[in-house]
Amino acid sequence: MKKMGPIGIFDSGVGGTSIWKEIHTLLPFEDTLYLADSKYAPYGNRTKEEIISLSIKNTEFLLSQGCKIIVVACNTATTNAIKVLRTNYSIPIIGIEPAIKPAALKSKTKSVGILATKGTLSSELFHKTSEAFTEGITVTEVIGEGLVPLIEKGELDSSEMRELLKKHTSSMIEANVDYLVLGCSHYPYIIPQLQKILPKNITIIDSGEAVAKQTQAILAENNLLVTKKRTPTLRFYTNAETNTLQFLLKEYAEKISIEKKEF
Ligand code: DGL
């Protein structure tokens, strides 16, 4: 495997760019190639079979571009398809799962909330993790219905978004959670809106930094880490409009390229 190949990252859409930001911050000399499969978003309400077949499509495309590692920057794709991907491909594959373990360990009220897609919450992998780490903890699971389509449109702070967030968090507040786990890579973009709604004692956690650290560790283990100072090539492909990617990545505009492409 070539050390200079890009880190391939995919998500059902624009949300995984929250993970890309963590990866690029930690590994600033690595080339990256990000796929936003926005044409087929949201994945959250799709069947397991559909999610597997879309994940295979994205992985094949990233492999055809010479990627040295794949980061599945989507909880829904990870929890439904990572087993199949790891069976089919020999390249290292990193996934993202809701940070339920740290939340359960840290919770003082013994009550945690998780906001994720239907696909993630109904998956076997999520159930296994949740069962393994939440003994004695009340877990309030809420499907973030409607959130991903709004974020895909770049609508982070509309009245519709604020109403949905109030609705989705009410049962968690009632259950006295002190940790809210964001189980979807789109959701870090709505942390400021959530903070306005939630009581101050609730800590929001996501898995972005953990995924970046895991990517670094696996690259190092496989002798694939680029540590020499260089200017990387940072490409973003979407199979829908480029507007939202441009908006969410505006602070990187000078150093990245965003292109519409069929994949
Ligand atoms: N961003 C994805 C996740 O982390 C999926 C959102 C969706 O397409 O439903 O779960």
Side-chain angles (χ1 to χ4, degrees):
M1 222 175 300
K2 286 199 208 88
K3 199 174 190 160
M4 294 319 293
I7 297 175
I9 305 167
F10 78 83
D11 178 37
S12 62
V14 301
T17 55
S18 65
I19 312 300
W20 174 85
K21 288 178 186 177
E22 302 278 0
I23 291 174
H24 178 61
T25 304
L26 191 64
L27 305 168
F29 312 125
E30 296 279 359
D31 291 346
T32 61
L33 173 55
Y34 180 95
L35 294 189
D37 200 18
S38 296
K39 189 169 159 185
Y40 299 99
Y43 282 9
N45 293 331
R46 292 184 178 277
T47 63
K48 184 178 169 90
E49 289 67 35
E50 284 175 317
I51 298 167
I52 290 174
S53 117
L54 289 165
S55 300
I56 289 176
K57 164 185 79 71
N58 298 332
T59 303
E60 293 278 345
F61 185 87
L62 290 170
L63 291 178
S64 76
Q65 304 293 305
C67 291
K68 61 180 175 182
I69 188 168
I70 306 285
V71 179
V72 184
C74 176
N75 294 260
T76 312
T78 300
T79 50
N80 286 278
I82 201 149
K83 214 167 147 187
V84 175
L85 296 181
R86 286 187 175 142
T87 306
N88 287 5
Y89 307 101
S90 55
I91 188 170
I93 299 177
I94 310 291
I96 179 169
E97 284 182 67
I100 191 110
K101 182 181 171 184
L105 287 174
K106 288 179 188 161
S107 175
K108 292 202 168 61
T109 61
K110 301 287 173 217
S111 179
V112 302
I114 159 139
L115 191 60
T117 69
K118 186 172 160 212
T120 294
L121 293 176
S122 61
S123 69
E124 212 182 299
L125 187 57
F126 172 74
H127 276 283
K128 266 197 197 151
T129 317
S130 185
E131 262 168 37
F133 300 111
T134 59
E135 217 194 302
I137 305 276
T138 305
V139 183
T140 306
E141 297 176 9
V142 176
I143 296 172
E145 199 60 59
L147 300 178
V148 168
L150 289 181
I151 299 167
E152 282 293 311
K153 284 195 270 175
E155 244 187 83
L156 307 183
D157 198 15
S158 62
S159 54
E160 192 180 344
M161 175 61 86
R162 288 192 292 270
E163 283 314 307
L164 278 178
L165 291 179
K166 269 188 207 147
K167 189 172 138 207
H168 292 332
T169 54
S170 64
S171 58
M172 299 189 190
I173 296 172
E174 247 167 63
N176 194 27
V177 307
D178 58 355
Y179 279 88
L180 165 49
V181 178
L182 299 185
C184 170
S185 58
H186 281 67
Y187 301 166
Y189 284 112
I190 45 176
I191 289 176
Q193 287 65 263
L194 279 166
Q195 280 168 336
K196 279 183 210 151
I197 296 168
L198 295 171
K200 294 282 167 282
N201 69 314
I202 300 183
T203 306
I204 300 172
I205 55 173
D206 65 70
S207 323
E209 204 187 325
V211 171
K213 284 189 180 152
Q214 178 70 358
T215 306
Q216 183 184 44
I218 299 297
L219 284 175
E221 207 174 277
N222 288 277
N223 197 25
L224 291 171
L225 201 60
V226 176
T227 46
K228 208 169 150 233
K229 201 168 177 218
R230 61 189 283 277
T231 305
T233 303
L234 308 169
R235 285 174 296 160
F236 292 79
Y237 293 162
T238 174
N239 48 20
E241 289 315 309
T242 59
N243 312 12
T244 307
L245 277 182
Q246 272 158 357
F247 165 61
L248 297 176
L249 295 164
K250 54 183 180 303
E251 67 265 43
Y252 300 91
E254 307 279 273
K255 45 184 201 175
I256 64 172
S257 69
I258 301 178
E259 240 180 277
K260 185 168 174 180
K261 238 190 176 45
E262 280 307 315
F263 54 85

